[in-house]
Amino acid sequence: MKVLVIGGAGYIGSHVVKQLMKKGHTVTVFDNLSSGLRQNLFTENDFIYGNILIPSDLDAAFGRGFDAFVHLAAFKAAGESMIEPEKYSVNNLTGTVNIINAAVKHNCKRMVFSSSAAVFGEPKYLPIDENHPKNPENYYGFTKLNIEHVMAWFDKLRGLKYASLRYFNAAGYDTEGFPCGLEQKPANLLPVIMETACGMRQRMKVFGSDYDTPDGTCIRDYVHVTDLADAHVRALDYISEKNESIVANLGSETGVSVKEMLEAARKITKKEIPADFVERRAGDPAKLVATSAYAREKLGWVPKYSDVNTLIESTWNAYQKAMQNK
């Protein structure tokens, strides 16, 4: 298939592009390079420099003719979304509506969307399945949930078939060493740990030490980015073959606390990684762990790289490579 990957120069997007190529799809990347990197682009792919907030950019892109598209161009920092909801409204909500309008106009009606576990909010039970109540605790999660509602309506009204993949915590880097472009201004735990290990930060902050968890720090379900990318390809196959939409959780089904991740990173990197415990961050649930039984059943998806050691080692390799190239 001819697939347009919107946000394909970014961290997750570039890994998705690689997996699509491995499965024989013809990929074009659409990105404004605000956080994506040219070094993450593959020479085999066409590249369109464009902005999802400019409808004419999207119209021109979809006018080239595509069988499907992947949308990975949303802003994703939960903490920032609570401080700058306007920014998230414009990019995530308006930008996505622009994308869907252009896609439908050009009869591109297969969509894979990177949603988020943030749609659930504080868990009512664990592990979280697809039917868990949706009550986002941050504005980022609110935008993702509302995009899911928009897609469902476009399925009913325009025949848009979509896969909404609710990531838990994306982490790690390609184990083959490319793509390896580092995230710009990361807010997620593992990149922050690595920046501290490399000396790019003097110290890091751990938000909250008094949660109702065994060691007092938040517990999250980390999924290797290559496993996530594999799920995107499987989801595209699913909606193409079944001609039906799907919403699925993507998690490793294993919870890791901030302290556990930090201690494992210290062991693997052999670095001190200074950390200060500070106040909780608004909108952070104590524990988020998924069940991925539905994705396993429907997509045949089983994470292969999401153990703590592979997550940390692959990320450390990417950061060491980046530091050597400076």
Side-chain angles (χ1 to χ4, degrees):
M1 281 188 279
K2 290 177 66 179
V3 184
L4 181 65
V5 180
I6 302 169
Y11 165 57
I12 297 174
S14 56
H15 287 81
V16 171
V17 168
K18 181 170 184 175
Q19 293 303 311
L20 286 166
M21 290 167 59
K22 280 188 170 183
K23 296 297 183 180
H25 297 291
T26 301
V27 179
T28 297
V29 171
F30 180 102
D31 205 299
N32 69 356
L33 301 178
S34 61
S35 58
L37 302 169
R38 287 191 180 274
Q39 72 188 80
N40 281 340
L41 297 172
F42 294 82
T43 56
E44 302 95 315
N45 303 134
D46 287 340
F47 172 64
I48 301 171
Y49 179 84
N51 192 324
I52 64 173
L53 300 181
I54 302 175
S56 59
D57 284 1
L58 291 163
D59 189 54
F62 279 101
R64 296 189 181 197
F66 292 97
D67 302 305
F69 67 100
V70 183
H71 174 19
L72 302 117
F75 293 147
K76 64 184 181 66
E80 181 187 54
S81 76
M82 301 292 281
I83 300 166
E84 299 186 62
E86 300 85 358
K87 174 180 177 180
Y88 280 69
S89 297
V90 173
N91 187 79
N92 292 13
L93 297 175
T94 305
T96 300
V97 170
N98 289 344
I99 291 168
I100 292 175
N101 285 346
V104 169
K105 175 182 175 181
H106 292 280
N107 202 37
C108 182
K109 295 185 178 180
R110 298 185 185 106
M111 174 181 183
V112 180
F113 174 62
S114 61
S115 191
S116 170
V119 302
F120 297 115
E122 186 69 42
K124 305 296 183 189
Y125 57 83
L126 292 171
I128 295 173
D129 59 21
E130 287 74 10
N131 295 318
H132 185 283
K134 286 80 182 170
N135 186 26
E137 294 202 346
N138 54 63
Y139 192 71
Y140 162 69
F142 169 86
T143 66
K144 292 288 190 177
L145 182 58
N146 277 272
I147 290 166
E148 290 191 1
H149 294 328
V150 171
M151 291 189 299
W153 274 106
F154 269 79
D155 185 345
K156 292 178 184 178
L157 301 176
R158 292 290 182 264
L160 175 73
K161 299 306 173 189
Y162 65 90
S164 186
L165 303 178
R166 292 171 178 157
Y167 308 170
F168 277 62
N169 285 59
Y173 275 83
D174 184 77
T175 55
E176 296 173 351
F178 188 89
C180 60
L182 302 184
E183 288 187 86
Q184 307 300 297
K185 298 179 181 177
N188 295 338
L189 176 63
L190 197 48
V192 169
I193 288 175
M194 292 297 138
E195 286 191 352
T196 312
C198 288
M200 297 164 68
R201 298 175 186 239
Q202 288 189 335
R203 309 181 68 83
M204 62 171 283
K205 294 178 180 179
V206 176
F207 295 98
S209 58
D210 58 350
Y211 284 98
D212 185 18
T213 61
D215 64 20
T217 62
C218 287
I219 291 174
R220 293 292 181 266
D221 188 331
Y222 294 90
V223 193
H224 195 282
V225 66
T226 299
D227 289 328
L228 288 178
D230 174 58
H232 284 72
V233 180
R234 291 173 181 271
L236 179 57
D237 290 342
Y238 179 90
I239 60 177
S240 300
E241 293 167 8
K242 304 288 187 182
N243 194 37
E244 65 182 30
S245 298
I246 184 172
V247 179
N249 291 351
L250 299 179
S252 66
E253 304 187 312
T254 303
V256 182
S257 77
V258 175
K259 276 186 180 178
E260 287 171 335
M261 188 68 82
L262 183 56
E263 289 305 322
R266 285 169 172 158
K267 183 177 180 181
I268 289 168
T269 65
K270 298 180 172 58
K271 300 291 183 180
E272 182 181 348
I273 314 181
D276 298 317
F277 290 88
V278 298
E279 301 255 332
R280 294 185 184 189
R281 189 169 52 185
D284 273 348
K287 186 175 182 180
L288 283 175
V289 181
T291 171
S292 296
Y294 190 68
R296 196 158 50 241
E297 174 194 345
K298 294 293 186 180
L299 306 179
W301 180 74
V302 178
K304 298 177 182 178
Y305 303 100
S306 295
D307 59 282
V308 170
N309 285 353
T310 302
L311 290 168
I312 294 172
E313 286 168 1
S314 62
T315 309
W316 182 231
N317 289 340
Y319 273 80
Q320 286 183 302
K321 185 180 291 186
M323 298 304 289
Q324 289 166 3
N325 292 336
K326 275 195 169 184

